Amino acid sequence: MSGIFKLFITAVIAAAMVSVPMASAVVSGCNSVNSLITPCIYYSLGSAATIPPACCDGIRNLNRIATTTADARTICNCLKTLARSYARTPGWLSRANRVPGACGYPLGYTISPTLNCNNFH
């Protein structure tokens, strides 16, 4: 994946972060999910050696606001979309899958481009 494309995706996520409150009462879509996990992106891309504390804060807030099956499915689908976007970036999936557990909030599933998000009940 070209550096320009990575920069573009990062800019899109950062723009979403500005337009969406950091911890809304419900998961309203991928903009809210992306805004919470933006601090994780550099680690997942391999640009940071450690998971930043702000990343774990975002994961914690995402876990806190995901209270319904619909929320869980929305989060899952957003992560699946990100996985599709970064699938060809070497190491991205393995690093992205380490983040939730390392932050103390394991997902219970593996982020992948083929994840079936309808399994949540």
Side-chain angles (χ1 to χ4, degrees), residues 25-27 63-75 120-121:
V26 296
V27 179
N63 184 64
R64 184 179 58 79
I65 64 173
T67 58
T68 67
T69 298
D71 290 341
R73 287 180 179 166
T74 296
I75 292 166
F120 294 99
H121 303 289

Side-chain angles (χ1 to χ4, degrees), residues 45-113:
L45 287 171
S47 300
T50 59
I51 300 169
C55 170
C56 289
D57 290 344
I59 299 294
R60 183 187 70 244
N61 284 328
L62 195 58
N63 184 64
R64 184 179 58 79
I65 64 173
T67 58
T68 67
T69 298
D71 290 341
R73 287 180 179 166
T74 296
I75 292 166
C76 176
N77 280 306
C78 296
L79 295 175
K80 180 178 177 178
T81 298
L82 282 174
R84 286 181 180 157
S85 297
Y86 290 112
R88 293 181 184 229
T89 302
W92 187 89
L93 282 173
S94 63
R95 285 188 298 274
N97 276 299
R98 273 188 229 127
V99 171
C103 290
Y105 299 96
L107 290 175
Y109 56 85
T110 301
I111 301 167
S112 82

